Amino acid sequence: MGMVCLRLLSFICFSAIIISQTTAQPSFLYYFCMNDKGNYTANSTYQTNLNTLLSNLSSNTQIEYGFYNFSQGQNPDQVNAIGLCRGDVKPDECRSCLNDSRVLLTRQCPNQKEAIGWYDNCMLRYSNRSIFGIMEDSPSFFMWNQNNATEVDQYNQDLRSLLDSIRNRAASGDSLQKFAAENRTGPSFQTIFGLVQCTPDLSEQECNDCLIRAISDIPTCCDNKIGGRVVRPSCNIRYENYRFFDATAYAPPPQVSPSPSPPPPPPPSTNSNSTQGKSNTSRTVIVIVVPVVALVLLVIFICIYLRFRKPRTKSEKADDEITTSESLQFDFDSIKVATNNFADSNKLGQGGFGAVYKGRLASGQAIAVKRLSRDSGQGDLEFKNEVMLVAKLQHRNLVKLLGFCLERTERLLVYEFVPNKSLDYFIFDPTKRAQLDWEKRYKIIGGIARGLLYLHEDSRLRIIHRDLKASNILLDAEMNPKISDFGMARLFVVDQTQGNTSRIVGTYGYMAPEYAMHGHFSVKSDVFSFGVLILEVVSGHKNTGIHHGEHVEDLLSFVWRNWTEGTVSNIIDPALINGSRNEMMRCIHIGLLCVQENIANRPTMATVVLMLNSFSLTLPVPSGPAFLMNSGSLPSMQSWEYTSRATGSNQPRDNTRPSPESVNEDSITELYPR
């Protein structure tokens, strides 16, 4: 027992020293520990190299310019590190920020070979792989000012002009600093302050590309806000309506001059100095004693907890995922009351998995309730998939899941109520399509693109939707699009780029050929569906067929024929009387790029968002769309599914229905945690 107490006392004393050194340690704005990049063991060569490299941060001369990049050791234990301070930060503040970073980052990410953390004044990252001179977009994060801008259109125009100006200036910087900051007068005499920066090891083109992509993220994170920032490993941007940088300090000096000699120490002994000394001593005692007492209490609590805690069973562990969502669970009776016992008058529509009803909670909040049919193909696994998946997604262009109900034989999903129904309700109706002018349609296209980009790259999970179509795009009161229905979605593991399935689920006409024919799906499958959706929005035609007398032509063939014959204006919906023809033509061009048969030729959603936001970007020439040459190989314009058999033959089964719907018979959804 004495030995145990001695060890415990030693642990407490050691911890007290550590705590006293780090109590004042500020928190990161954001940090990432790259668990998938590998771990190192304590006292290993890698840890020695990491500690040596980070300890040299403050003594490196490049810190005078706010930039540090060095390596330590040899492969496979080589460590590479980059430290970057904001361009207006003085050298002493830079050293202090990076020193704080190295202490906190190794503590927050113990034993991880790769990690990155950001303070307001600096960034620190290290890795066992090469990170020098490589433009990287992820991991990234957003921050925004809570206040909205006035005269939004003019504000956004002035902001874009400011950021483009300083972007070019920063990108043309040298190998020591790529930084620029400036202010500009906005609408109503507001002043907009902007700052952009790249790691100086990037080329001018790479810096430009990184900043362009960061600027294109502003509508995703900070739309109509008076301030925001987009932060990536290779570059960052920030803007506010107040001065947040030192405009006189950021230009680097032409040369590093020797530091002046320190001033002589002050003469000893005055009453005020004596009082200050006592104050410092008291503060030191408090800093050490308080953490020690707190640590002792923590150790006692841990011992009591470990002594009396009940071991968890396997079934309890298996229920973890659904348990985490208990705070989202609704009582069935409350939903029944909210929907007036699922009255037909409250029915909003019928989906592939069941009916959707409008309701109103006791609090007055309007909701949409998806009541899964008991004989639907979606089992408990698919239901759990949609709950756990959508609950983790937070984006303005994704429908928000408020909760769920799993009671008796009832399975309900409770969503925010989106008042303007779905996109197909407007776009394919001869009368209602006139309510969607080009400005609204262009905003819808951009919103869907940003929502997909979030699913593919920016959310905590990499998600393939697999059933993107006009009826799964809901429109809110301002006609902002919200992607819905994640019952068929797939989650990808880190760095996974493609998956396979023996059961095809989705809606024919929107499905990419490699998925429909062979069961291969990837982010490019969603890109294909998005391309079809763009062409539907611009043309007002369904993808299921366009009639010219007795001749029937599918949408992709129709668009491609007019594109190659130079009669692109025939594609545009006649209801679009006003609006930018250049934007319409560009959207048709982007749509054709998305539906190319060759997967490698289709752009990513990040590139699509950039194409939609930057008209200075030259678009590549599209090749022929998929299915154009193979239209006879699939059932005619109906929802369908097939199972890949052991012989390798794919036998389509035509599910004849009055209109295309999502296939859901025996659909299988697999979860891959990220």
Side-chain angles (χ1 to χ4, degrees):
M1 183 67 180
M3 183 61 70
V4 172
C5 291
L6 183 60
R7 287 179 179 174
L8 183 60
L9 183 60
S10 301
F11 169 75
I12 292 173
C13 292
F14 175 75
S15 301
I17 295 171
I18 298 297
I19 290 175
S20 66
Q21 291 176 345
T22 58
T23 9
Q25 197 74 40
S27 299
F28 282 128
L29 290 177
Y30 224 93
Y31 70 90
F32 293 91
C33 307
M34 314 301 191
N35 299 318
D36 59 306
K37 302 300 183 183
N39 297 330
Y40 62 84
T41 56
N43 302 318
S44 63
T45 304
Y46 189 90
Q47 184 178 33
T48 301
N49 290 336
L50 176 62
N51 292 340
T52 302
L53 186 61
L54 297 183
S55 65
N56 290 332
L57 273 172
S58 58
S59 60
N60 192 273
T61 56
Q62 278 186 300
I63 295 300
E64 299 293 329
Y65 300 94
F67 179 56
Y68 169 95
N69 64 333
F70 272 95
S71 297
Q72 181 72 31
Q74 302 295 324
N75 283 327
D77 296 308
Q78 186 178 49
V79 187
N80 306 299
I82 291 179
L84 179 70
C85 290
R86 209 173 66 193
D88 62 324
V89 172
K90 294 179 174 62
D92 287 346
E93 295 173 348
C94 179
R95 288 190 182 90
S96 175
C97 185
L98 290 173
N99 275 327
D100 286 341
S101 298
R102 70 183 177 90
V103 173
L104 186 57
L105 193 56
T106 51
R107 194 171 78 222
Q108 298 284 24
C109 304
N111 305 115
Q112 258 93 48
K113 286 190 174 181
E114 182 168 342
I116 184 169
W118 289 271
Y119 280 119
D120 199 40
N121 285 349
C122 69
M123 172 202 76
L124 177 65
R125 61 183 300 211
Y126 54 80
S127 176
N128 62 326
R129 61 184 177 89
S130 176
I131 57 175
F132 304 141
I134 299 174
M135 193 268 282
E136 296 191 16
D137 290 335
S138 62
S140 63
F141 69 96
F142 308 138
M143 298 180 74
W144 58 90
N145 195 307
Q146 294 293 332
N147 298 317
N148 291 321
T150 56
E151 301 179 54
V152 172
D153 291 341
Q154 185 62 46
Y155 187 90
N156 289 337
Q157 183 179 332
D158 292 337
L159 171 63
R160 185 60 184 258
S161 174
L162 168 63
L163 293 178
D164 282 344
S165 170
I166 57 178
R167 167 178 60 80
N168 290 325
R169 203 161 76 235
S172 60
D174 58 23
S175 61
L176 292 176
Q177 195 173 62
K178 282 184 166 62
F179 173 88
E182 194 179 289
N183 60 277
R184 185 164 297 186
T185 302
S188 302
F189 303 101
Q190 301 176 78
T191 302
I192 308 173
F193 297 87
L195 175 155
V196 300
Q197 185 172 20
C198 295
T199 55
D201 56 338
L202 297 184
S203 67
E204 181 174 352
Q205 184 61 52
E206 288 170 331
C207 178
N208 243 317
D209 291 346
C210 187
L211 290 173
I212 287 173
R213 295 173 72 166
I215 291 170
S216 71
D217 276 343
I218 290 176
T220 301
C221 72
C222 324
D223 204 17
N224 303 336
K225 300 298 184 183
I226 60 173
R229 63 175 88 179
V230 179
V231 184
R232 300 177 171 211
S234 295
C235 67
N236 63 85
I237 62 171
R238 184 181 179 186
Y239 64 95
E240 300 286 357
N241 67 336
Y242 60 88
R243 187 181 298 280
F244 60 90
F245 55 83
D246 183 354
T248 63
Y250 71 79
Q255 60 183 20
V256 181
S257 56
S259 302
S261 302
S269 74
T270 66
N271 289 336
S272 61
N273 286 345
S274 175
T275 304
Q276 184 66 40
K278 292 177 182 178
S279 173
N280 289 339
T281 302
S282 301
R283 186 164 59 247
T284 302
V285 170
I286 291 171
V287 166
I288 293 175
V289 171
V290 171
V292 169
V293 173
L295 189 62
V296 170
L297 294 175
L298 178 62
V299 169
I300 294 172
F301 173 78
I302 291 173
C303 291
I304 294 172
Y305 172 75
L306 292 176
R307 174 68 180 83
F308 291 103
R309 88 180 164 122
K310 180 182 177 183
R312 298 168 65 213
T313 65
K314 289 184 178 179
S315 61
E316 287 173 330
K317 293 178 181 178
D319 289 339
D320 266 354
E321 280 191 310
I322 203 70
T323 304
T324 58
S325 294
E326 283 182 354
S327 60
L328 302 174
Q329 190 155 2
F330 283 81
D331 177 69
F332 177 73
D333 290 334
S334 65
I335 301 299
K336 190 176 178 180
V337 171
T339 59
N340 192 21
N341 195 19
F342 302 99
D344 287 342
S345 58
N346 284 331
K347 191 172 182 179
L348 298 172
Q350 182 77 30
F353 290 142
V356 181
Y357 297 85
K358 181 181 178 181
R360 189 169 296 277
L361 298 174
S363 63
Q365 182 178 7
I367 56 173
V369 180
K370 182 177 180 181
R371 190 182 194 186
L372 301 180
S373 55
R374 298 175 190 179
D375 58 348
S376 75
Q378 191 183 38
D380 290 338
L381 180 61
E382 285 80 5
F383 176 75
K384 187 176 179 180
N385 176 31
E386 188 162 4
V387 170
M388 298 306 296
L389 177 62
V390 183
K392 295 175 183 177
L393 303 179
Q394 298 293 329
H395 191 276
R396 64 185 300 169
N397 295 119
L398 303 182
V399 69
K400 184 178 181 182
L401 178 70
L402 301 178
F404 71 98
C405 175
L406 186 58
E407 193 171 317
R408 298 189 293 272
T409 59
E410 294 286 351
R411 290 174 298 162
L412 310 173
L413 291 169
V414 182
Y415 291 98
E416 63 175 324
F417 176 67
V418 184
N420 277 325
K421 300 189 177 180
S422 56
L423 178 59
D424 64 326
Y425 178 77
F426 290 91
I427 205 72
F428 301 136
D429 186 282
T431 304
K432 294 184 175 63
R433 69 174 56 177
Q435 298 178 37
L436 293 182
D437 58 19
W438 176 246
E439 183 180 355
K440 288 187 177 73
R441 296 193 198 195
Y442 193 62
K443 181 172 75 170
I444 288 169
I445 290 171
I448 299 169
R450 291 192 295 272
L452 269 184
L453 175 60
Y454 172 81
L455 292 176
H456 290 178
E457 296 186 21
D458 296 332
S459 69
R460 294 170 55 200
L461 309 161
R462 180 173 297 170
I463 298 159
I464 313 300
H465 189 279
R466 295 206 299 168
D467 199 22
L468 187 72
K469 57 183 177 180
S471 60
N472 281 340
I473 305 300
L474 305 183
L475 301 174
D476 68 10
E478 286 77 39
M479 290 295 184
N480 294 307
K482 292 179 180 289
I483 301 172
S484 69
D485 204 336
F486 291 85
M488 299 181 187
R490 280 284 189 100
L491 281 70
F492 268 14
V493 294
V494 177
D495 297 331
Q496 184 182 356
T497 58
Q498 181 171 303
N500 297 285
T501 181
S502 62
R503 190 68 57 130
I504 308 303
V505 291
T507 305
Y508 181 74
Y510 292 97
M511 285 190 287
E514 70 278 1
Y515 178 48
M517 299 301 296
H518 307 295
H520 303 318
F521 61 91
S522 66
V523 291
K524 295 295 185 74
S525 310
D526 279 353
V527 170
F528 182 92
S529 303
F530 175 76
V532 175
L533 200 50
I534 284 186
L535 298 177
E536 287 184 328
V537 171
V538 177
S539 69
H541 290 297
K542 293 182 179 181
N543 65 65
T544 50
I546 300 169
H547 293 263
H548 297 288
E550 296 182 357
H551 180 62
V552 179
E553 194 173 15
D554 67 85
L555 178 62
L556 298 189
S557 300
F558 169 76
V559 172
W560 181 248
R561 178 175 58 79
N562 282 281
W563 176 269
T564 54
E565 292 176 0
T567 54
V568 186
S569 58
N570 291 344
I571 302 170
I572 298 172
D573 188 348
L576 294 174
I577 302 171
N578 300 313
S580 169
R581 290 281 156 166
N582 285 337
E583 287 180 353
M584 297 177 198
M585 298 292 190
R586 191 173 180 85
C587 283
I588 294 171
H589 194 160
I590 294 170
L592 284 171
L593 290 172
C594 291
V595 298
Q596 295 176 106
E597 188 156 15
N598 189 332
I599 300 174
N601 290 342
R602 295 177 210 156
T604 63
M605 289 312 303
T607 304
V608 168
V609 170
L610 185 59
M611 289 174 175
L612 290 169
N613 284 285
S614 177
F615 280 80
S616 61
L617 188 69
T618 303
L619 304 186
V621 178
S623 58
F627 293 147
L628 182 64
M629 303 303 294
N630 305 312
S631 58
S633 62
L634 293 173
S636 58
M637 298 304 173
Q638 299 293 328
S639 298
W640 60 284
E641 63 144 348
Y642 72 85
T643 301
S644 297
R645 289 165 168 74
T647 60
S649 62
N650 297 329
Q651 303 294 329
R653 184 179 71 209
D654 186 0
N655 299 326
T656 305
R657 292 172 182 167
S659 63
E661 297 176 358
S662 299
V663 177
N664 58 55
E665 296 185 54
D666 300 321
S667 63
I668 299 172
T669 306
E670 299 173 13
L671 286 174
Y672 298 90
R674 176 164 183 163

